[in-house]
Amino acid sequence: MDSHNHSHRRQEAQSTDMELRILVVGSSGPSQFSLTNSILGREEFSKDVTSIVQSRKNLGDLAGTRVAVVNGPNLYGKHLSRTKMKTEMKRCKCLSAPGPHALLMAFDLEQICPNDVKTPKLMVKRFGEDALSHTMVLLAYEGDVDILALENRVSTDWHIRALIEQCGGRYHVFNKNWRDRSRDKELLQKIERMLATLGGQHYTSRSYGQAEESVRKEERKLLKKRAAETEEAWRELEQQYRGEALRWQMDAYNSSVGAEIRAKAEMDNGWLRTSLAVGAGLGLAAGAAMGMAMGAVAGAMGMTMGGALGGLMGGSAGGTAQVAIEHLEDRVGPHATNFNTVFINRFFRPPRS
């Protein structure tokens, strides 16, 4: 069984390097979700989605390359509390840990304005000092337009030019219609060229280091909980298969369980739970302060009720996510490749000879 454990650890270590990790970021509005649809080649987000409250990760294919696309709330997500925004920034880092190969900052060419020039500074604040070295500006257009005319606008509009220059001059224009995949290969090549100048390394930072460490720690805990089940599954496979077929089945099973556990650990781990606890604590403290004011009129009961109410308000910033992860089976997305789905196929037919 030691060889099986070694295989499982090897699969776990390699699982995060099996795809190109892309973090898609938007300042406001639907641009980042249009871009995600375009990369994945499917409507993962409907046209009326302008923001999300919980970060998501989806798998897809970009010009023949396997990609993992991560979306978090828009950077200017004013409908989210500060605590919730911090939690979701952490979550999108866990989902793209150990670090994204590319950060794509999406804007709508019809709505981009001079104020958007400030967005790269917010990127640095959210993701770290060197984040812009891995960042590319993505500009969305709609309909059948002249690409050369769009390129000309990019070079003449000062605020677009200033925005792009903050990201090393890297940009790409894309069609909001996700069915148009004519420019996929060009986008992939631009990402690959950017990576080449960076020595092929994904982006990392102190917070990404914390994210990966916490995800790995959670994986180990989940693996330990699954140990008895895994041992039983291995025994069943050993009774059914021999030789190369057994090795293939073992690797398939280990990969499946490893992917499932990784998905759970990325969505819920100690780093995220600490954030949620801090949010609840701040809410409780604020509520207690409010209760003290109420207590001056209503007595001690006011302080007690105010503290409890504040705690509930603070905890709501992310508590629902913590509960939801315990029922992962109920969050199966509309596509089988949604990375938040449960990996239910644990046994596979051996390859035909």
Side-chain angles (χ1 to χ4, degrees):
M1 290 299 178
D2 289 342
S3 62
H4 301 329
N5 279 318
H6 177 72
S7 175
H8 201 162
R9 287 194 297 271
R10 185 176 68 251
Q11 294 284 352
E12 176 189 340
Q14 292 176 349
S15 64
T16 57
D17 293 322
M18 290 173 61
E19 70 273 325
L20 186 70
R21 293 183 298 280
I22 299 174
L23 181 62
V24 176
V25 180
S27 58
S28 61
S31 298
Q32 70 150 311
F33 308 110
S34 297
L35 174 57
T36 298
N37 290 343
S38 180
I39 293 172
L40 296 173
R42 64 175 186 263
E43 192 178 38
E44 188 62 46
F45 296 98
S46 63
K47 291 182 179 180
D48 59 350
V49 173
T50 59
S51 188
I52 55 177
V53 296
Q54 182 166 295
S55 302
R56 290 176 57 178
K57 179 177 183 177
N58 292 282
L59 298 182
D61 179 274
L62 178 66
T65 295
R66 179 182 169 92
V67 293
V69 184
V70 175
N71 295 88
N74 285 325
L75 295 177
Y76 293 105
K78 296 180 180 179
H79 64 294
L80 298 181
S81 68
R82 181 178 296 182
T83 299
K84 178 63 174 174
M85 177 62 82
K86 286 184 176 180
T87 299
E88 291 310 315
M89 286 299 104
K90 281 187 173 184
R91 198 187 309 279
C92 76
K93 290 174 183 177
C94 290
L95 288 169
S96 55
H101 296 97
L103 293 90
L104 304 185
M105 192 163 51
F107 300 91
D108 191 324
L109 271 169
E110 295 178 0
Q111 299 180 11
I112 194 168
C113 64
N115 195 53
D116 287 320
V117 173
K118 301 176 183 178
T119 307
K121 289 185 178 180
L122 187 54
M123 283 284 289
V124 169
K125 180 180 178 181
R126 300 286 195 206
F127 296 101
E129 293 182 7
D130 299 323
L132 297 183
S133 65
H134 281 76
T135 300
M136 185 186 305
V137 175
L138 272 287
L139 302 167
Y141 68 91
E142 193 164 20
D144 187 13
V145 300
D146 185 348
I147 297 297
L148 290 178
L150 291 180
E151 298 283 356
N152 183 59
R153 181 186 169 189
V154 168
S155 62
T156 55
D157 285 14
W158 73 266
H159 58 283
I160 298 179
R161 194 73 246 166
L163 179 67
I164 292 170
E165 286 174 357
Q166 293 180 73
C167 300
R170 295 178 295 274
Y171 76 96
H172 182 74
V173 294
F174 72 97
N175 196 330
K176 294 179 187 178
N177 180 5
W178 57 265
R179 291 182 175 85
D180 179 4
R181 310 213 72 184
S182 61
R183 311 203 73 212
D184 284 8
K185 188 174 182 179
E186 183 180 348
L187 173 58
L188 179 63
Q189 289 174 339
K190 287 180 178 179
I191 292 174
E192 289 174 339
R193 283 199 296 270
M194 178 179 69
L195 280 172
T197 64
L198 298 164
Q201 299 299 309
H202 61 74
Y203 174 65
T204 190
S205 66
R206 180 175 173 273
S207 59
Y208 263 108
Q210 289 177 299
E212 179 65 7
E213 181 181 357
S214 186
V215 170
R216 288 299 179 100
K217 184 176 180 180
E218 190 72 18
E219 281 184 288
R220 289 192 290 271
K221 287 170 58 178
L222 293 173
L223 279 169
K224 189 174 181 180
K225 289 181 179 179
R226 293 280 289 271
E229 178 187 332
T230 300
E231 291 278 349
E232 177 62 27
W234 283 341
R235 282 193 292 269
E236 290 181 11
L237 290 175
E238 287 172 337
Q239 291 173 6
Q240 298 177 48
Y241 302 96
R242 293 290 184 275
E244 184 63 26
L246 175 60
R247 284 190 291 273
W248 192 91
Q249 290 286 341
M250 284 291 188
D251 283 344
Y253 175 81
N254 289 340
S255 294
S256 178
V257 173
E260 177 190 341
I261 285 176
R262 176 78 188 191
K264 288 184 177 181
E266 288 175 346
M267 286 295 290
D268 182 55
N269 54 65
W271 197 44
L272 292 173
R273 288 191 289 269
T274 299
S275 178
L276 295 173
V278 169
L282 290 174
L284 183 62
M290 181 176 69
M292 289 179 70
M294 292 170 60
V297 178
M301 183 60 71
M303 182 174 178
T304 303
M305 291 300 292
L309 178 62
L312 287 171
M313 292 172 65
S316 68
T320 52
Q322 210 167 333
V323 173
I325 196 65
E326 297 173 2
H327 304 282
L328 198 63
E329 297 85 353
D330 298 331
R331 295 190 296 105
V332 176
H335 303 286
T337 48
N338 187 308
F339 209 70
N340 291 344
T341 60
V342 178
F343 290 78
I344 58 173
N345 297 319
R346 297 179 184 170
F347 296 92
F348 304 82
R349 293 181 180 178
R352 295 178 179 178
S353 57

